């Protein structure tokens, strides 16, 4: 046995001596070829096995008509992140239009009498409702015991509202402008009468006074008689009227003098509610009234009546 092994090793050594060793690169190339051949053989063998499996199936099943195909091998795909399902925006809920408010049933007008009452008629006219001593700047002042009635412009003029006069009072004021010293004579004599009327008497009186101016452009006391003209409303109280009275000029003795300057005086009536304050200026001696002074006195009288009766 040992001889045979020795002989085999000797033959192998002789063969190795006769052959040459391949370079390293050639050894690697041949190794790669062998690896490729092994891969091809492996794939081929797998194909043969699959074909054999199909053949076996067909052989077992017989005729392939009416047979369902073999299901393909499922392919597993990589898992993905779960997607978020976004719901579509909700549609706005339409609210049906509200029904228009029902029209309240018509009601018949109330027959209840108004609860407001007319102002109470006073028993007398207080001093604070009229011009006073301080307004004259002279000290000449008096409260008259007899009422200074409205001037009757002519025979055709009348004042039916007098029957509705409830209470009346008159004062006389000797007036001088406040800037004049004591050495000056007064400018005017003014009669102020305040009347409270029942019903619509106050409104009626102003209407009657306006009518009198239209009906009597000339008339009244005096020879020759004075002339009258309306100056409209001075804008006082609830309503007002101002009248200019123009009389012939006179001498110092009182005799008419056609060449002298005409004497101008004024009548002013102001209504506040159910009351009227009336100013009648007469001038002083043979001089007429000063318009600016009359405007100031009328405004003062209107304020006094408003404070009391307004």
């Amino acid at each position: 046995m040992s001889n045979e092994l020795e002989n085999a090793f000797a033959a192998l050594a002789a063969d190795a001596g006769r052959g040459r060793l391949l370079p390293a690169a050639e050894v690697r190339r041949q190794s790669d070829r062998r690896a490729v051949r092994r891969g091809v053989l492996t794939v081929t063998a797998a194909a043969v096995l699959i074909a054999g499996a199909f053949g076996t199936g067909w052989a077992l099943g017989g005729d392939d008509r009416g047979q369902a195909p073999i299901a393909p091998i499922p392919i597993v795909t990589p898992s993905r992140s779960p997607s978020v399902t976004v719901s579509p925006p909700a549609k706005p809920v339409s609210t049906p239009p509200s029904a228009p408010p029902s029209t309240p049933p018509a009601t018949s007008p109330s027959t209840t009498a108004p609860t407001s009452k007319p102002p109470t008629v006073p028993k007398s006219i207080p001093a604070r409702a009229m011009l006073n001593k301080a307004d004259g700047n002279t000290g000449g002042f008096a409260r008259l015991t007899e009422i200074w009635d409205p001037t009757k412009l002519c025979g055709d003029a009348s004042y039916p509202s007098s029957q509705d006069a409830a209470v009346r009072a008159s004062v006389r004021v000797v007036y001088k402008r406040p800037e004049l010293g004591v050495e000056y004579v007064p400018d005017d004599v003014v009669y102020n009468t305040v009347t409270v009327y029942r019903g619509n008497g106050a409104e009626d009186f102003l209407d009657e006074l306006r009518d009198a101016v239209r009906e009597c452009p000339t008339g009244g006391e005096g020879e020759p008689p004075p002339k009258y003209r309306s100056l409209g409303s001075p804008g006082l109280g609830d309503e007002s009227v101002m009248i200019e009275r123009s009389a012939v000029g006179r001498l110092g003795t009182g005799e008419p003098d056609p060449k002298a300057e005409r004497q101008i005086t004024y009548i002013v009536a102001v209504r506040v509610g159910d009351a009227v304050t009336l100013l009648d200026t007469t001038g002083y001696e043979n001089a007429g009234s000063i318009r600016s002074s009359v405007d100031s006195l009328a405004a003062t009288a209107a304020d006094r009546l408003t404070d009391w009766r307004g």
Side-chain angles (χ1 to χ4, degrees):
M1 180 68 181
S2 61
N3 291 329
E4 293 178 358
L5 289 173
E6 290 177 0
N7 292 331
F9 278 112
L12 180 60
D15 291 337
R18 289 191 300 265
R20 292 187 307 175
L21 294 177
L22 297 175
E26 182 64 18
V27 174
R28 285 193 299 272
R29 185 177 62 84
Q30 292 181 6
S31 176
D32 292 339
R33 284 183 178 179
R34 285 192 294 270
V36 171
R37 282 197 296 268
R38 284 196 301 269
V40 172
L41 291 176
T42 303
V43 172
T44 304
V48 171
L49 289 176
I50 293 173
F54 283 142
T56 303
W58 291 332
L60 293 176
D63 190 2
D64 61 350
R65 286 175 296 179
Q67 299 294 325
I70 298 175
I73 299 173
I75 299 175
V76 180
T77 58
S79 60
R80 297 180 181 179
S81 301
S83 59
V84 179
T85 304
V86 180
S87 301
K91 294 183 178 180
V93 180
S94 59
T95 304
S98 58
S102 58
T103 304
T107 57
S108 57
S110 175
T111 56
T112 306
T115 56
S116 60
K117 297 180 180 180
T120 304
V121 176
K123 296 181 179 180
S124 62
I125 307 296
R128 65 186 180 89
M130 310 176 72
L131 295 179
N132 57 41
K133 182 178 181 179
D135 296 323
N137 304 312
T138 63
F141 174 83
R143 183 154 180 160
L144 304 179
T145 57
E146 294 184 4
I147 301 302
W148 184 271
D149 292 324
T151 300
K152 192 173 182 180
L153 305 187
C154 66
D156 295 333
S158 62
Y159 305 106
S161 59
S162 296
Q163 63 185 356
D164 294 324
V167 58
R168 310 178 77 180
S170 297
V171 297
R172 182 183 66 236
V173 179
V174 179
Y175 175 80
K176 181 172 64 175
R177 284 167 290 174
E179 65 269 20
L180 299 180
V182 293
E183 68 274 14
Y184 288 87
V185 298
D187 294 320
D188 209 341
V189 176
V190 182
Y191 293 86
N192 180 207
T193 301
V194 173
T195 305
V196 176
Y197 292 85
R198 291 181 292 265
N200 296 324
E203 298 177 19
D204 293 342
F205 173 70
L206 263 74
D207 290 338
E208 293 163 1
L209 194 57
R210 295 186 188 99
D211 292 340
V213 177
R214 288 191 294 268
E215 295 173 3
C216 304
T218 300
E221 298 179 356
E223 190 59 41
K227 297 179 181 179
Y228 302 94
R229 70 185 183 103
S230 175
L231 300 180
S233 171
L236 302 172
D238 295 328
E239 58 175 327
S240 56
V241 61
M242 189 173 193
I243 300 169
E244 179 190 84
R245 178 172 49 208
S246 175
V248 66
R250 298 183 180 274
L251 300 173
T253 59
E255 295 295 324
D257 181 5
K259 297 180 182 180
E261 183 179 359
R262 296 186 68 86
Q263 185 183 33
I264 306 298
T265 56
Y266 301 91
I267 299 171
V268 184
V270 180
R271 181 181 70 84
V272 176
D274 62 348
V276 173
T277 183
L278 177 68
L279 278 71
D280 192 347
T281 71
T282 61
Y284 189 78
E285 296 179 350
N286 294 328
S289 303
I290 300 173
R291 170 67 186 271
S292 60
S293 298
V294 176
D295 288 340
S296 177
L297 289 170
T300 300
D303 289 342
R304 300 271 170 80
L305 185 63
T306 300
D307 291 343
W308 175 58
R309 207 65 184 163

